[in-house]
Amino acid sequence: MEEYDVPSAASILASVKEQEARFERLTRALEEERRNVSLQLERSSLPSDRLVGGTTGGSNQPLAWQQMVMQEQSPSNQTSLAMMQEPQEVVEETVTIEEDPGTPTSHVSVVTSDDGTTRRTETKDNVTNMKVTKMVKTVTTRTVRQVPLGPDGLPLPEGSSPLGSYTDSIDRRYMKNGERFITPQASSTLTRSYNNYSDSYNDTPDSQFRHYALHDGYGDVPDNYGSLSRGVNYRPYRPYMPTGGYRPENSYTLPIRKDDYGHVAQPQVPMGSSTVDLNRSQPERFQPEPYGLEDDRRSLGPDDEEPYDIEPDYSTANRRTLPGRTIREPLRNGPRVRGYEDPIETELIDERHPYIHGMYPAPLAQPERGSLASLDRMGGRRSPSIDSIRKDPRWRDPDLPEVIAMLGHPIDPVKSNAAAYLQHLCYENDKIKKDVRQLKGIPVLVGLLDHPKAEVHRKACGALRNISYGKDHDNKVAIKSCDGIPALIRLLRKTNDMEVRELITGTLWNLSSYEPLKMVIINHGLQTMTNEVIIPHSGWEQEPNEDSKPRDAEWTTVFKNTSGCLRNVSSDGAEARRRLRECEGLVDALLHALQSAVGKKDMDNKSVENCVCIMRNLSYHVHKEVPGAEKFQDPSALQGPGSAGTQRKKNDDAGCFGGKKAKEEWFNQGRKNGEHNKNYDTLDLPKRTEPTKGFELLYQPEVVRLYLSLLTESQNFNTLEAAAGALQNLSAGQWTWSNYIRATVRKEKGLPILVELLRSDSDKVVRAVAIALRNLSIDRRNKDLIGSYAMRDLVSNLPSGQQRPAKNLEEDTVVAILNTIHEIITDSSENARSLITAQAIDKLVAINRTSQSARETKAASHVLQTVWSYKELRNGLTKDGWNKTHFQPIATGTPKGSKSCKPGYDDTTLPLMEKNQGNRGCSGGDMIPMDELGPDGYSTIDQRDKDSKYKSSDGSSDLQEREPLKNDTNRKHYIRSNRPTVSLVDACDVKPQPVDSWV
Amino acid sequence: MSFIPGQPVSAVVQRIEIHKLWDGDNLILGFSIGGGIDQDPSQNPFSEDKADKGIYVTRVSKGGPAEVAGLRLGDKIMQVNGWDMTMVTHDQARKKLTKKNEDVVRLLVTRRSLEDAVRQSMMQH
């Protein structure tokens, strides 16, 4: 046991031991007490069972008991460690939260007890000064010795209260239901929720209580939110949310609520069996808010395309696995500790299912239904009063204009509820989004971003995030038009709330997928996003503390969203790149994050992918665009005016074949470099007097190792592609740094790594690597090495005529490979010989003659011509049965060209390059940073665009824009991790998970 | 120990190395975890800050490898073999811990008593 960061290890160790010993003593004492109590409980439970029949008279008792609790938990001992009277309760901590004064005060204390339960005690002063204490018990982990009864060890007072009877009845229920509820854990969970009910139940008997309950629904919201939102679990509340949402104050919307509520509540006074009680007590629970977001998920369940997002039947899945669950087994056998959420799943299983199927879009309208069904199932029968609620026609949803009007309601919770509801409505519903826009809801929501109350701006932001998602760019424009982008950025600066930050950055990511907004985002948000998110989460420190170890990056959702946003905006042309490069700390932080990813071997996640993509994009054209670049230009390779300009535009058409430079010029460069590079093996890299920072880091030879590590280790095809693309960008061009980079790749043994990746299953990885190899072979040594070692892998990726190899690479990739081969054999008869040895001629001739693709045909034809140009090879070729005609352009090639999308470029004599330039000129599109010499780089990006266009139709989020996700193995993984965050706030809870896992 | 975005996270950590044990066909560590960014942090009985979505040790089996290595109930796991555990889902954490091909896991954990101890000693100085 070593200790870190501790000034004086010995003294601390001593004090730790001391503390631990004390704690141990305390624990022992507590356990002793608990044992006593459990015995008492055992005794007391029996009578309570008998009382289940629940005389109405019993209803006063819970009050008395609760009163007692309240005293113990009164605000005065808020923060101190308090000992509950019930001896078995070890109070580890008491948190008291005061509601804001405008609403009835509510003190909530959370007590974690040793037996693994969390108890929440809420004390309220309602308007009438009535003191009501509410006890909510939550079962958490670690029950070591579960008390046989009183399922959660809740002390049941003598002369049991309804509380007692509830617990008890539940207890019985599981017994009846058999093994499913047999574990103490499950029982405690149930108890928890029923305790809740009992609480609301207490409210019912007279109007004062009812009144309280109405307020309660509201007052509760903030603190319940956290857990409720996780909360499938809390299903039972949900049905009643409509009322709560529009508390007494907003009765204008749903005027009947209050009365209704009374009616409903009243008849529910205990009668008959406990199950009936349960039914009865629920309707009083108005818990509107927490469910706003959950609803989306639940209600959309069946419609959602992503299986695990909602997984309409995931609860059933749970149920299926339940009995045999490994986690559970041990629990049954003995008193073990319990996961803190697990039991709740059990509780839910019955409830959510019917709901999901029963009432898709009407979370507010008919909320009862789901839970009734479940209650029916659970209870076996239901009370008549509930039937009447369900049929009550007066319950209805507010319509959209009403909801939007509520955004401007003077009372904050109404605003936030309305926004939350709006978020729910907009979820994957383009029609509603459009309606919201047309009803002028967006400016109001944007206005709410500046609202001081966290609840309000959070919900508004959630709604904006959903609205901003989708292919309807008008929604994005609408957000921008009312200055939504600066407002989001302002809020990002202001808030420390992780959830809000996730929402803001998610919204920005969505917005950043629309080209015209990219520059706006850069203008308003670049430095803020960098300072607030990228730098802190990357672990980079501007002035690193010498003593401390460098911090690692944290792959938070916020970081992921922000890097995704920057990734999108980084493709907005030269100006965008310039701004990003010059953004203080950005490149440094991204680099640090990537280095930390490499260090931790955590290179497959989305954030890394985003960072590498940004780096790749920023590396594009560095040799032309960075300040002072001209000083480093290689004078021997100054580019003529005819070569591609710095402002080369992206070619949007995936079918286009983008070449950049006149062929000859390109060849010359190769030759010249060849000569130069001979020296580079011995040449030292430039010495630096001060540490490099900012954009200079982009092209320092040190980055080569980083990209190579990513290429070696990452399993994420997008990351692989981007890392190869970065090398491709850096090794392009004629300036000192690209010479260094090319040499460094060789010295760092990067060529074999790249060659290895030619075997990748991913089309675009193969393509990016092929183009990178092409650029790298500008260096003569590289060319020789690549010719010797990569030829076989390059050739094996080629199709044999019409018969595609197993990989079935896309046309772009095949063309890229052919161009790379062409580059490698140019000026090297040795390499041409390797090509022949690799049995390439068969394939090349087949492609030349039979390929359906004009571009493939042409590229193959160039290779063949070059091969034939080596007179020394002809002899051998003739021996193999080839003749000149095989190496000449096929006359019919031109007609074939007409099939392609760019018939005009079918000039066989010359080149790819010029054509493509013309092509590029007319496309006028955005420029996507890619390689300089590798035209095919463009297709990679185009691919991406294509993907993003269709993206929304496949139900993936805007967040994915520019992130193709097409690749098989990765896909699942990524969708998995991204999916939940798609349009919802509390995305993470989509899938109930085992909460407590043995490892 | 709560995490505020943008603020550096500081924690007093302890390094714990657990050698997994074969239990039948399974390699076990002998403890269980709770928490994760996809779980309800308010229900975590061990965390100081109820918004903390970190991974916590919720059970430690008697005499198991984890106990032998010094892991305690309620420890917050910061890293597993260098992987960050403060911002992961429950399942991700579980997977990182249960890799079949690793028979040793190195944890970085923090616990309240450690933190308090450090705080106290700092105040004395």
Side-chain angles (χ1 to χ4, degrees), chain A residues 18-42:
Chain A
E18 154 79 12
Q19 284 200 337
E20 281 165 358
R22 233 185 301 155
F23 184 77
E24 237 174 342
R25 280 197 299 277
L26 187 59
T27 316
R28 251 188 307 242
L30 290 169
E31 274 172 5
E32 188 76 1
E33 278 183 315
R34 212 174 38 151
R35 234 168 282 140
N36 289 339
V37 174
S38 59
L39 284 172
Q40 283 174 11
L41 282 171
E42 212 157 53

PDB file of all heavy atoms in Angstrom, chain A residues 18-42:
ATOM      1  N   GLU A  18      -6.276   4.970  12.701  1.00  0.00           N
ATOM      2  CA  GLU A  18      -7.019   5.405  13.863  1.00  0.00           C
ATOM      3  C   GLU A  18      -8.490   5.561  13.488  1.00  0.00           C
ATOM      4  O   GLU A  18      -9.380   5.053  14.159  1.00  0.00           O
ATOM      5  CB  GLU A  18      -6.422   6.738  14.325  1.00  0.00           C
ATOM      6  CG  GLU A  18      -7.353   7.659  15.085  1.00  0.00           C
ATOM      7  CD  GLU A  18      -7.493   7.240  16.521  1.00  0.00           C
ATOM      8  OE1 GLU A  18      -6.704   6.382  16.955  1.00  0.00           O
ATOM      9  OE2 GLU A  18      -8.399   7.736  17.208  1.00  0.00           O
ATOM     10  N   GLN A  19      -8.716   6.228  12.412  1.00  0.00           N
ATOM     11  CA  GLN A  19     -10.097   6.442  11.985  1.00  0.00           C
ATOM     12  C   GLN A  19     -10.794   5.144  11.679  1.00  0.00           C
ATOM     13  O   GLN A  19     -11.954   4.954  11.994  1.00  0.00           O
ATOM     14  CB  GLN A  19     -10.107   7.300  10.732  1.00  0.00           C
ATOM     15  CG  GLN A  19      -9.839   8.744  11.035  1.00  0.00           C
ATOM     16  CD  GLN A  19     -10.332   9.611   9.888  1.00  0.00           C
ATOM     17  OE1 GLN A  19     -10.447   9.127   8.773  1.00  0.00           O
ATOM     18  NE2 GLN A  19     -10.621  10.856  10.177  1.00  0.00           N
ATOM     19  N   GLU A  20     -10.057   4.304  11.058  1.00  0.00           N
ATOM     20  CA  GLU A  20     -10.692   3.059  10.680  1.00  0.00           C
ATOM     21  C   GLU A  20     -11.048   2.227  11.900  1.00  0.00           C
ATOM     22  O   GLU A  20     -12.103   1.601  11.957  1.00  0.00           O
ATOM     23  CB  GLU A  20      -9.771   2.265   9.763  1.00  0.00           C
ATOM     24  CG  GLU A  20      -9.824   2.808   8.357  1.00  0.00           C
ATOM     25  CD  GLU A  20      -8.691   2.304   7.517  1.00  0.00           C
ATOM     26  OE1 GLU A  20      -7.841   1.567   8.053  1.00  0.00           O
ATOM     27  OE2 GLU A  20      -8.652   2.664   6.342  1.00  0.00           O
ATOM     28  N   ALA A  21     -10.174   2.273  12.861  1.00  0.00           N
ATOM     29  CA  ALA A  21     -10.463   1.523  14.072  1.00  0.00           C
ATOM     30  C   ALA A  21     -11.719   2.072  14.733  1.00  0.00           C
ATOM     31  O   ALA A  21     -12.601   1.328  15.161  1.00  0.00           O
ATOM     32  CB  ALA A  21      -9.287   1.622  15.044  1.00  0.00           C
ATOM     33  N   ARG A  22     -11.783   3.395  14.749  1.00  0.00           N
ATOM     34  CA  ARG A  22     -12.953   3.989  15.361  1.00  0.00           C
ATOM     35  C   ARG A  22     -14.217   3.580  14.610  1.00  0.00           C
ATOM     36  O   ARG A  22     -15.229   3.227  15.166  1.00  0.00           O
ATOM     37  CB  ARG A  22     -12.824   5.519  15.341  1.00  0.00           C
ATOM     38  CG  ARG A  22     -13.024   6.082  16.723  1.00  0.00           C
ATOM     39  CD  ARG A  22     -13.026   7.586  16.680  1.00  0.00           C
ATOM     40  NE  ARG A  22     -11.775   8.112  16.134  1.00  0.00           N
ATOM     41  CZ  ARG A  22     -11.664   9.294  15.538  1.00  0.00           C
ATOM     42  NH1 ARG A  22     -12.719  10.059  15.400  1.00  0.00           N
ATOM     43  NH2 ARG A  22     -10.515   9.715  15.094  1.00  0.00           N
ATOM     44  N   PHE A  23     -14.089   3.608  13.361  1.00  0.00           N
ATOM     45  CA  PHE A  23     -15.245   3.250  12.539  1.00  0.00           C
ATOM     46  C   PHE A  23     -15.655   1.809  12.769  1.00  0.00           C
ATOM     47  O   PHE A  23     -16.820   1.477  12.831  1.00  0.00           O
ATOM     48  CB  PHE A  23     -14.901   3.482  11.071  1.00  0.00           C
ATOM     49  CG  PHE A  23     -16.063   3.234  10.166  1.00  0.00           C
ATOM     50  CD1 PHE A  23     -17.079   4.172  10.051  1.00  0.00           C
ATOM     51  CD2 PHE A  23     -16.156   2.061   9.443  1.00  0.00           C
ATOM     52  CE1 PHE A  23     -18.152   3.930   9.234  1.00  0.00           C
ATOM     53  CE2 PHE A  23     -17.229   1.836   8.628  1.00  0.00           C
ATOM     54  CZ  PHE A  23     -18.227   2.767   8.528  1.00  0.00           C
ATOM     55  N   GLU A  24     -14.670   1.023  12.944  1.00  0.00           N
ATOM     56  CA  GLU A  24     -14.979  -0.372  13.163  1.00  0.00           C
ATOM     57  C   GLU A  24     -15.737  -0.569  14.471  1.00  0.00           C
ATOM     58  O   GLU A  24     -16.687  -1.330  14.541  1.00  0.00           O
ATOM     59  CB  GLU A  24     -13.684  -1.180  13.184  1.00  0.00           C
ATOM     60  CG  GLU A  24     -13.691  -2.276  12.152  1.00  0.00           C
ATOM     61  CD  GLU A  24     -12.354  -2.969  12.098  1.00  0.00           C
ATOM     62  OE1 GLU A  24     -11.379  -2.389  12.599  1.00  0.00           O
ATOM     63  OE2 GLU A  24     -12.283  -4.084  11.570  1.00  0.00           O
ATOM     64  N   ARG A  25     -15.278   0.146  15.467  1.00  0.00           N
ATOM     65  CA  ARG A  25     -15.968   0.043  16.749  1.00  0.00           C
ATOM     66  C   ARG A  25     -17.409   0.475  16.601  1.00  0.00           C
ATOM     67  O   ARG A  25     -18.337  -0.170  17.050  1.00  0.00           O
ATOM     68  CB  ARG A  25     -15.260   0.941  17.790  1.00  0.00           C
ATOM     69  CG  ARG A  25     -14.015   0.304  18.379  1.00  0.00           C
ATOM     70  CD  ARG A  25     -13.625   1.025  19.664  1.00  0.00           C
ATOM     71  NE  ARG A  25     -13.308   2.424  19.458  1.00  0.00           N
ATOM     72  CZ  ARG A  25     -12.106   2.872  19.037  1.00  0.00           C
ATOM     73  NH1 ARG A  25     -11.142   2.010  18.781  1.00  0.00           N
ATOM     74  NH2 ARG A  25     -11.882   4.156  18.885  1.00  0.00           N
ATOM     75  N   LEU A  26     -17.551   1.562  15.950  1.00  0.00           N
ATOM     76  CA  LEU A  26     -18.886   2.101  15.742  1.00  0.00           C
ATOM     77  C   LEU A  26     -19.757   1.097  15.003  1.00  0.00           C
ATOM     78  O   LEU A  26     -20.896   0.828  15.352  1.00  0.00           O
ATOM     79  CB  LEU A  26     -18.772   3.390  14.914  1.00  0.00           C
ATOM     80  CG  LEU A  26     -20.051   4.181  14.736  1.00  0.00           C
ATOM     81  CD1 LEU A  26     -20.615   4.596  16.084  1.00  0.00           C
ATOM     82  CD2 LEU A  26     -19.778   5.417  13.885  1.00  0.00           C
ATOM     83  N   THR A  27     -19.176   0.539  13.991  1.00  0.00           N
ATOM     84  CA  THR A  27     -19.936  -0.413  13.200  1.00  0.00           C
ATOM     85  C   THR A  27     -20.396  -1.588  14.037  1.00  0.00           C
ATOM     86  O   THR A  27     -21.530  -2.030  13.935  1.00  0.00           O
ATOM     87  CB  THR A  27     -19.077  -0.941  12.048  1.00  0.00           C
ATOM     88  OG1 THR A  27     -18.403   0.156  11.469  1.00  0.00           O
ATOM     89  CG2 THR A  27     -19.905  -1.656  11.037  1.00  0.00           C
ATOM     90  N   ARG A  28     -19.487  -2.027  14.874  1.00  0.00           N
ATOM     91  CA  ARG A  28     -19.858  -3.179  15.695  1.00  0.00           C
ATOM     92  C   ARG A  28     -21.022  -2.831  16.608  1.00  0.00           C
ATOM     93  O   ARG A  28     -21.989  -3.567  16.735  1.00  0.00           O
ATOM     94  CB  ARG A  28     -18.652  -3.655  16.500  1.00  0.00           C
ATOM     95  CG  ARG A  28     -18.128  -4.987  15.960  1.00  0.00           C
ATOM     96  CD  ARG A  28     -17.084  -5.492  16.894  1.00  0.00           C
ATOM     97  NE  ARG A  28     -16.102  -4.421  17.074  1.00  0.00           N
ATOM     98  CZ  ARG A  28     -14.826  -4.510  16.741  1.00  0.00           C
ATOM     99  NH1 ARG A  28     -14.363  -5.604  16.263  1.00  0.00           N
ATOM    100  NH2 ARG A  28     -13.977  -3.515  16.900  1.00  0.00           N
ATOM    101  N   ALA A  29     -20.925  -1.668  17.201  1.00  0.00           N
ATOM    102  CA  ALA A  29     -21.996  -1.256  18.099  1.00  0.00           C
ATOM    103  C   ALA A  29     -23.314  -1.164  17.351  1.00  0.00           C
ATOM    104  O   ALA A  29     -24.366  -1.580  17.822  1.00  0.00           O
ATOM    105  CB  ALA A  29     -21.655   0.097  18.715  1.00  0.00           C
ATOM    106  N   LEU A  30     -23.216  -0.663  16.183  1.00  0.00           N
ATOM    107  CA  LEU A  30     -24.430  -0.477  15.416  1.00  0.00           C
ATOM    108  C   LEU A  30     -25.041  -1.796  15.008  1.00  0.00           C
ATOM    109  O   LEU A  30     -26.248  -1.977  15.009  1.00  0.00           O
ATOM    110  CB  LEU A  30     -24.121   0.345  14.185  1.00  0.00           C
ATOM    111  CG  LEU A  30     -23.812   1.789  14.543  1.00  0.00           C
ATOM    112  CD1 LEU A  30     -23.237   2.522  13.337  1.00  0.00           C
ATOM    113  CD2 LEU A  30     -25.065   2.486  15.015  1.00  0.00           C
ATOM    114  N   GLU A  31     -24.182  -2.690  14.674  1.00  0.00           N
ATOM    115  CA  GLU A  31     -24.713  -3.976  14.271  1.00  0.00           C
ATOM    116  C   GLU A  31     -25.431  -4.651  15.419  1.00  0.00           C
ATOM    117  O   GLU A  31     -26.476  -5.261  15.253  1.00  0.00           O
ATOM    118  CB  GLU A  31     -23.594  -4.864  13.750  1.00  0.00           C
ATOM    119  CG  GLU A  31     -23.361  -4.613  12.280  1.00  0.00           C
ATOM    120  CD  GLU A  31     -22.140  -5.326  11.776  1.00  0.00           C
ATOM    121  OE1 GLU A  31     -21.550  -6.084  12.571  1.00  0.00           O
ATOM    122  OE2 GLU A  31     -21.778  -5.120  10.610  1.00  0.00           O
ATOM    123  N   GLU A  32     -24.853  -4.479  16.563  1.00  0.00           N
ATOM    124  CA  GLU A  32     -25.468  -5.005  17.753  1.00  0.00           C
ATOM    125  C   GLU A  32     -26.886  -4.444  17.880  1.00  0.00           C
ATOM    126  O   GLU A  32     -27.857  -5.170  18.043  1.00  0.00           O
ATOM    127  CB  GLU A  32     -24.622  -4.585  18.972  1.00  0.00           C
ATOM    128  CG  GLU A  32     -25.023  -5.223  20.272  1.00  0.00           C
ATOM    129  CD  GLU A  32     -24.545  -6.672  20.340  1.00  0.00           C
ATOM    130  OE1 GLU A  32     -23.907  -7.131  19.382  1.00  0.00           O
ATOM    131  OE2 GLU A  32     -24.835  -7.340  21.337  1.00  0.00           O
ATOM    132  N   GLU A  33     -26.941  -3.181  17.784  1.00  0.00           N
ATOM    133  CA  GLU A  33     -28.233  -2.535  17.917  1.00  0.00           C
ATOM    134  C   GLU A  33     -29.198  -2.994  16.859  1.00  0.00           C
ATOM    135  O   GLU A  33     -30.376  -3.180  17.097  1.00  0.00           O
ATOM    136  CB  GLU A  33     -28.041  -1.018  17.789  1.00  0.00           C
ATOM    137  CG  GLU A  33     -27.591  -0.406  19.083  1.00  0.00           C
ATOM    138  CD  GLU A  33     -27.475   1.089  18.943  1.00  0.00           C
ATOM    139  OE1 GLU A  33     -26.925   1.561  17.938  1.00  0.00           O
ATOM    140  OE2 GLU A  33     -27.958   1.778  19.846  1.00  0.00           O
ATOM    141  N   ARG A  34     -28.645  -3.158  15.736  1.00  0.00           N
ATOM    142  CA  ARG A  34     -29.524  -3.535  14.660  1.00  0.00           C
ATOM    143  C   ARG A  34     -30.111  -4.906  14.874  1.00  0.00           C
ATOM    144  O   ARG A  34     -31.252  -5.183  14.560  1.00  0.00           O
ATOM    145  CB  ARG A  34     -28.791  -3.517  13.329  1.00  0.00           C
ATOM    146  CG  ARG A  34     -29.727  -3.135  12.223  1.00  0.00           C
ATOM    147  CD  ARG A  34     -29.005  -2.978  11.004  1.00  0.00           C
ATOM    148  NE  ARG A  34     -27.961  -4.012  10.967  1.00  0.00           N
ATOM    149  CZ  ARG A  34     -27.509  -4.515   9.844  1.00  0.00           C
ATOM    150  NH1 ARG A  34     -27.984  -4.091   8.725  1.00  0.00           N
ATOM    151  NH2 ARG A  34     -26.579  -5.422   9.854  1.00  0.00           N
ATOM    152  N   ARG A  35     -29.306  -5.730  15.418  1.00  0.00           N
ATOM    153  CA  ARG A  35     -29.812  -7.061  15.687  1.00  0.00           C
ATOM    154  C   ARG A  35     -31.004  -6.979  16.649  1.00  0.00           C
ATOM    155  O   ARG A  35     -32.023  -7.609  16.445  1.00  0.00           O
ATOM    156  CB  ARG A  35     -28.691  -7.936  16.259  1.00  0.00           C
ATOM    157  CG  ARG A  35     -28.512  -9.205  15.477  1.00  0.00           C
ATOM    158  CD  ARG A  35     -27.237  -9.905  15.874  1.00  0.00           C
ATOM    159  NE  ARG A  35     -26.079  -9.292  15.262  1.00  0.00           N
ATOM    160  CZ  ARG A  35     -24.916  -9.102  15.882  1.00  0.00           C
ATOM    161  NH1 ARG A  35     -24.765  -9.456  17.146  1.00  0.00           N
ATOM    162  NH2 ARG A  35     -23.904  -8.583  15.263  1.00  0.00           N
ATOM    163  N   ASN A  36     -30.834  -6.147  17.647  1.00  0.00           N
ATOM    164  CA  ASN A  36     -31.944  -5.990  18.580  1.00  0.00           C
ATOM    165  C   ASN A  36     -33.193  -5.542  17.862  1.00  0.00           C
ATOM    166  O   ASN A  36     -34.280  -6.055  18.057  1.00  0.00           O
ATOM    167  CB  ASN A  36     -31.599  -4.923  19.632  1.00  0.00           C
ATOM    168  CG  ASN A  36     -30.549  -5.440  20.579  1.00  0.00           C
ATOM    169  OD1 ASN A  36     -30.380  -6.650  20.686  1.00  0.00           O
ATOM    170  ND2 ASN A  36     -29.852  -4.538  21.240  1.00  0.00           N
ATOM    171  N   VAL A  37     -32.982  -4.579  17.068  1.00  0.00           N
ATOM    172  CA  VAL A  37     -34.151  -4.023  16.420  1.00  0.00           C
ATOM    173  C   VAL A  37     -34.801  -5.003  15.497  1.00  0.00           C
ATOM    174  O   VAL A  37     -36.011  -5.084  15.407  1.00  0.00           O
ATOM    175  CB  VAL A  37     -33.756  -2.762  15.637  1.00  0.00           C
ATOM    176  CG1 VAL A  37     -34.949  -2.287  14.855  1.00  0.00           C
ATOM    177  CG2 VAL A  37     -33.286  -1.716  16.588  1.00  0.00           C
ATOM    178  N   SER A  38     -33.979  -5.751  14.839  1.00  0.00           N
ATOM    179  CA  SER A  38     -34.606  -6.664  13.904  1.00  0.00           C
ATOM    180  C   SER A  38     -35.469  -7.657  14.646  1.00  0.00           C
ATOM    181  O   SER A  38     -36.516  -8.069  14.161  1.00  0.00           O
ATOM    182  CB  SER A  38     -33.543  -7.358  13.051  1.00  0.00           C
ATOM    183  OG  SER A  38     -32.669  -8.067  13.878  1.00  0.00           O
ATOM    184  N   LEU A  39     -35.040  -7.983  15.823  1.00  0.00           N
ATOM    185  CA  LEU A  39     -35.882  -8.862  16.611  1.00  0.00           C
ATOM    186  C   LEU A  39     -37.200  -8.183  16.942  1.00  0.00           C
ATOM    187  O   LEU A  39     -38.276  -8.741  16.798  1.00  0.00           O
ATOM    188  CB  LEU A  39     -35.160  -9.252  17.904  1.00  0.00           C
ATOM    189  CG  LEU A  39     -34.061 -10.297  17.692  1.00  0.00           C
ATOM    190  CD1 LEU A  39     -33.259 -10.482  18.963  1.00  0.00           C
ATOM    191  CD2 LEU A  39     -34.678 -11.597  17.228  1.00  0.00           C
ATOM    192  N   GLN A  40     -37.051  -6.969  17.352  1.00  0.00           N
ATOM    193  CA  GLN A  40     -38.272  -6.228  17.662  1.00  0.00           C
ATOM    194  C   GLN A  40     -39.176  -6.153  16.455  1.00  0.00           C
ATOM    195  O   GLN A  40     -40.383  -6.298  16.536  1.00  0.00           O
ATOM    196  CB  GLN A  40     -37.912  -4.802  18.074  1.00  0.00           C
ATOM    197  CG  GLN A  40     -37.383  -4.736  19.478  1.00  0.00           C
ATOM    198  CD  GLN A  40     -36.912  -3.318  19.776  1.00  0.00           C
ATOM    199  OE1 GLN A  40     -37.165  -2.393  19.013  1.00  0.00           O
ATOM    200  NE2 GLN A  40     -36.262  -3.162  20.912  1.00  0.00           N
ATOM    201  N   LEU A  41     -38.544  -5.923  15.364  1.00  0.00           N
ATOM    202  CA  LEU A  41     -39.326  -5.784  14.150  1.00  0.00           C
ATOM    203  C   LEU A  41     -40.072  -7.052  13.843  1.00  0.00           C
ATOM    204  O   LEU A  41     -41.216  -7.038  13.438  1.00  0.00           O
ATOM    205  CB  LEU A  41     -38.404  -5.460  12.991  1.00  0.00           C
ATOM    206  CG  LEU A  41     -37.954  -4.011  12.961  1.00  0.00           C
ATOM    207  CD1 LEU A  41     -36.884  -3.838  11.910  1.00  0.00           C
ATOM    208  CD2 LEU A  41     -39.138  -3.131  12.674  1.00  0.00           C
ATOM    209  N   GLU A  42     -39.372  -8.094  14.058  1.00  0.00           N
ATOM    210  CA  GLU A  42     -39.992  -9.354  13.756  1.00  0.00           C
ATOM    211  C   GLU A  42     -41.279  -9.481  14.551  1.00  0.00           C
ATOM    212  O   GLU A  42     -42.308  -9.880  14.062  1.00  0.00           O
ATOM    213  CB  GLU A  42     -39.025 -10.468  14.143  1.00  0.00           C
ATOM    214  CG  GLU A  42     -39.136 -11.667  13.259  1.00  0.00           C
ATOM    215  CD  GLU A  42     -37.822 -12.434  13.319  1.00  0.00           C
ATOM    216  OE1 GLU A  42     -37.387 -12.737  14.419  1.00  0.00           O
ATOM    217  OE2 GLU A  42     -37.242 -12.692  12.298  1.00  0.00           O
TER     218      GLU A  42
END
